Amino acid sequence: MSNKVWFVTGASKGLGLTLTKRLLTEGYKVAATSRTADALIKAVGTSDNFLPLEVTLTDENSVQKGITDTLKKFGTIDVIVNNAGYGQFGTLEELSDAEVRRNFDINVFGSLNVIRQVMPFLREQRSGRIFNISSIGGLFGNFPGWGSYCATKFAVVGFTEALAAEGKEYGISATVVYPGYFRTEFLSSESLALPAKQVDAYHEAKISLAAHQNEISGNQAGDPEKASALLIKIASEPDQPLHLILGQDAYNLAEVKIDALKKDMEQMKAAAVATAF
């Protein structure tokens, strides 16, 4: 497996950086993207097994060049990790159209651009592993002030399920990853955008923001090193799961969501199924 080539987006910090460093330490070849190649070189260093790529994920031509450069350097791509993304805070009333669209451009369309460009090669070689990093917020969206972010992560879940079905006949697997709180820079000012418009009426949302910035940040229970090790392990196994809930906190929230869904389904079942002709 150490001969495998990984392509990791958003690799200059957070889980992407931790994963990239661990892969290189274990002897894998890694092509990693960031907005600037200098940021990658500064964070990771240089080696024959490492290809730092300056890629604008919202620019399909830039993404295509990144894939092409990886194939020129290493001859193949075996595992793709769509990790790049950022948090957008703000109630739905506060957020502008431009702010929400920008969030979707990176968190959703950036990953779709990578998938669109790499799939022809993976289909031709009839193999490939894809990890799309969502969030537990892509399954459980009951967080005031996080509607845009959760919506982008719900979208990642939807297209990953479709991708897994589409790639199956070509030996391509896809996993959607739902991390809980991991101790990365995700809640820092560089990775968390705030709305330009402020509506003071939303007290619960403001309490949530303060808790994330002042209490949760720096105290997350999840270890990104262990998360990276698990992704590498899964990539080496014959059967890749479609859904990967990551962290005890994520499991707790997933169970809350499943229980709530079951309760609502049972409550309305008789009336809902009676709507047929």
Side-chain angles (χ1 to χ4, degrees):
M1 281 299 296
S2 61
N3 290 324
K4 299 295 185 181
V5 177
W6 288 60
F7 184 93
V8 182
T9 70
S12 63
K13 58 185 176 182
L15 179 61
L17 175 58
T18 302
L19 175 62
T20 297
K21 286 182 173 180
R22 190 177 191 95
L23 286 165
L24 291 169
T25 298
E26 295 187 15
Y28 291 88
K29 299 177 178 67
V30 183
T33 82
S34 183
R35 285 173 291 182
T36 66
D38 287 344
L40 288 166
I41 294 169
K42 182 178 180 181
V44 179
T46 59
S47 79
D48 290 340
N49 284 348
F50 179 53
L51 177 63
L53 295 167
E54 190 166 308
V55 173
T56 301
L57 292 174
T58 54
D59 181 342
E60 208 160 4
N61 291 328
S62 179
V63 174
Q64 183 181 50
K65 185 178 185 303
I67 297 294
T68 300
D69 289 348
T70 302
L71 293 173
K72 286 180 180 177
K73 169 75 172 177
F74 296 125
T76 188
I77 298 175
D78 300 293
V79 185
I80 296 92
V81 182
N82 283 308
N83 168 74
Y86 71 95
Q88 174 65 65
F89 180 80
T91 63
L92 298 182
E93 180 183 347
E94 289 174 311
L95 292 171
S96 68
D97 178 79
E99 287 170 327
V100 175
R101 288 179 185 275
R102 192 178 306 119
N103 203 199
F104 270 82
D105 279 345
I106 298 297
N107 293 10
V108 178
F109 292 104
S111 294
L112 289 174
N113 284 340
V114 172
I115 291 165
R116 189 178 302 112
Q117 294 301 322
V118 79
M119 280 298 286
F121 174 78
L122 299 184
R123 281 193 297 103
E124 184 177 348
Q125 74 176 10
R126 301 191 74 84
S127 67
R129 301 293 184 96
I130 301 173
F131 292 93
N132 293 325
I133 308 300
S134 177
S135 163
I136 191 56
L139 179 64
F140 183 90
N142 191 20
F143 300 104
W146 299 91
S148 173
Y149 176 73
C150 288
T152 67
K153 295 304 184 177
F154 268 77
V156 171
V157 174
F159 73 65
T160 303
E161 290 187 348
L163 177 64
E166 293 163 358
K168 186 177 181 180
E169 64 180 302
Y170 299 102
I172 302 166
S173 301
T175 294
V176 56
V177 184
Y178 306 80
Y181 290 106
F182 278 77
R183 202 167 298 179
T184 68
E185 301 91 339
F186 174 73
L187 295 174
S188 69
S189 59
E190 292 183 358
S191 299
L192 179 60
L194 303 179
K197 175 185 176 182
Q198 301 284 330
V199 178
D200 293 334
Y202 289 100
H203 303 299
E204 291 298 321
K206 300 302 183 282
I207 291 171
S208 175
L209 176 61
H212 279 82
Q213 291 179 319
N214 303 322
E215 298 169 25
I216 298 174
S217 182
N219 296 304
Q220 299 96 321
D223 182 349
E225 287 286 352
K226 292 179 179 178
S228 299
L230 180 57
L231 292 180
I232 295 169
K233 180 177 183 294
I234 290 172
S236 68
E237 294 176 348
D239 295 318
Q240 183 173 333
L242 175 54
H243 300 277
L244 176 61
I245 309 292
L246 206 53
Q248 184 62 59
D249 55 349
Y251 262 83
N252 294 343
L253 289 174
E255 289 170 355
V256 170
K257 174 62 179 279
I258 292 167
D259 289 344
L261 183 59
K262 287 181 176 178
K263 180 181 177 181
D264 287 347
M265 288 174 66
E266 288 303 315
Q267 179 181 344
M268 298 305 301
K269 184 177 180 178
V273 300
T275 54
F277 284 103

